[in-house]
Amino acid sequence: MAVYKVEICGVNTAKLPLLGNAEKEELILKIKQGDKKAREEYIKGNLRLVLSIIQRFSSSNENVDDLFQIGCIGLMKAIDNFDITQGVKFSTYAVPMIIGEIRRYLRDNNAIRVSRSLRDIAYKAIYAKDMLQKRMDKEPTIEDIAKETGIPREDILSAFDAIQSPMSLYEPVFSDSGDVLYLMDQVSDKKNKEENWIEELSIKEAMSKLNERENMIINLRFFQGKTQMEVADEIHISQAQVSRLEKSALKNMKSYLNKT
């Protein structure tokens, strides 16, 4: 893969701006206030970061323009989700997100060879889906994504099907302060209903020892078969909090049952 091009995706890499620390801080504050111009300026000021990252994938034989475009999607996601209150440098937060976006692209692209146009549609739709979910605070429908992107619903479905590849249930999808959420935590388990295990393990009695919130989470997760995301929406806390409370509740229940 050649990386000596002066122009990538229409961007003259020789003229990319460099932002100072004070300028970065000022721009990120404006971005959090909804300043679109500041967001564009911040994106341009971090394109060199994307360029440095895509060089790590020089052995992939992928088109440098494609990798740069995907890296920019990761950069924009990092900007939109960056939390300035955490005291972390933006580059520290952005690098893994950009690398992850590129790796997902390479995984999907290598798993099933699809047309360039379908890949472009898929990644536009994926980015729109992420933005809509953040804005709407719920999972957007295909119709929502189609309206947001202006791409026909059928084309989006075809594109998603084309890049779809098998995933492990133990693939991490989110990490928060050491608590890792796995894909299996987001999948409804219709088999773990009360009638399948309450006779063996005095579940109701163990649940009575939990506090009200833990009791509700266990009931929603294992008796009603809801995902952690669905539980989080219902009781108005984050999915990471649901995960922590669920693990704590199960540990307490197991401890109680071992004593009985």
Side-chain angles (χ1 to χ4, degrees):
M1 179 182 75
V3 294
Y4 306 103
K5 299 176 66 175
V6 174
E7 189 169 293
I8 299 179
C9 286
V11 177
N12 189 335
T13 58
K15 295 183 178 180
L16 290 175
L18 287 173
L19 299 175
N21 290 332
E23 193 175 6
K24 288 179 181 178
E25 291 179 8
E26 182 181 354
L27 286 173
I28 203 70
L29 287 174
K30 289 182 178 179
I31 290 169
K32 296 306 175 183
Q33 294 170 0
D35 191 324
K36 293 183 179 180
K37 186 176 180 181
R39 183 175 181 272
E40 291 178 10
E41 194 174 338
Y42 202 79
I43 290 170
K44 291 178 181 177
N46 282 280
L47 290 180
R48 290 178 184 270
L49 179 62
V50 177
L51 288 173
S52 68
I53 291 172
I54 65 175
Q55 292 184 53
R56 303 184 188 185
F57 298 89
S58 58
S59 60
S60 67
N61 296 318
E62 287 293 330
N63 184 283
V64 67
D65 286 354
D66 288 345
L67 293 183
F68 182 71
Q69 187 175 6
I70 300 304
C72 287
I73 290 177
L75 172 63
M76 288 186 283
K77 286 183 178 180
I79 291 172
D80 293 337
N81 292 283
F82 183 54
D83 186 352
I84 58 178
T85 65
Q86 296 300 311
V88 178
K89 289 179 62 176
F90 175 74
S91 58
T92 302
Y93 177 77
V95 167
M97 290 199 71
I98 296 170
I99 291 175
E101 197 70 26
I102 293 172
R103 283 178 175 166
R104 279 191 292 273
Y105 167 80
L106 292 175
R107 181 198 65 202
D108 294 340
N109 196 39
N110 289 333
I112 305 174
R113 279 299 190 188
V114 297
S115 72
R116 170 74 177 273
S117 60
L118 274 179
R119 292 203 309 271
D120 288 346
I121 289 172
Y123 279 95
K124 285 178 183 176
I126 289 170
Y127 182 66
K129 179 182 178 182
D130 288 340
M131 292 302 97
L132 285 169
Q133 187 161 352
K134 183 179 178 183
R135 190 191 312 159
M136 301 164 60
D137 199 27
K138 67 176 183 178
E139 185 82 8
T141 65
I142 293 296
E143 285 74 16
D144 292 331
I145 298 171
K147 184 177 180 181
E148 178 75 11
T149 59
I151 300 171
R153 178 180 183 277
E154 293 73 18
D155 291 350
I156 293 175
L157 288 171
S158 297
F160 279 165
D161 287 341
I163 68 166
Q164 187 171 282
S165 58
M167 295 176 66
S168 167
L169 285 175
Y170 292 94
E171 181 167 337
V173 293
F174 179 75
S175 178
D176 178 32
S177 304
D179 291 312
V180 180
L181 301 181
Y182 297 94
L183 183 62
M184 67 182 298
D185 293 326
Q186 297 182 305
V187 179
S188 297
D189 186 354
K190 302 302 183 182
K191 293 182 180 179
N192 284 335
K193 300 269 185 165
E194 180 178 4
E195 62 268 24
N196 292 327
W197 52 312
I198 196 170
E199 291 182 359
E200 293 183 29
L201 304 173
S202 305
I203 297 299
K204 283 186 177 179
E205 188 175 352
M207 286 178 64
S208 69
K209 307 300 179 181
L210 303 175
N211 62 43
E212 184 178 352
R213 177 171 281 185
E214 288 178 336
N215 191 298
M216 183 181 298
I217 289 173
I218 295 300
N219 180 59
L220 292 172
R221 281 283 285 143
F222 299 102
F223 285 70
Q224 298 184 34
K226 293 192 175 184
T227 68
Q228 287 188 349
M229 183 64 78
E230 290 171 334
V231 174
D233 288 341
E234 185 160 332
I235 63 177
H236 308 296
I237 61 175
S238 71
Q239 186 175 359
Q241 288 177 294
V242 170
S243 177
R244 284 195 288 269
L245 289 169
E246 178 184 313
K247 288 174 184 175
S248 174
L250 290 174
K251 182 179 179 180
N252 291 336
M253 289 172 65
K254 182 178 179 181
S255 177
Y256 173 79
L257 290 168
N258 285 338
K259 293 177 183 178
T260 59

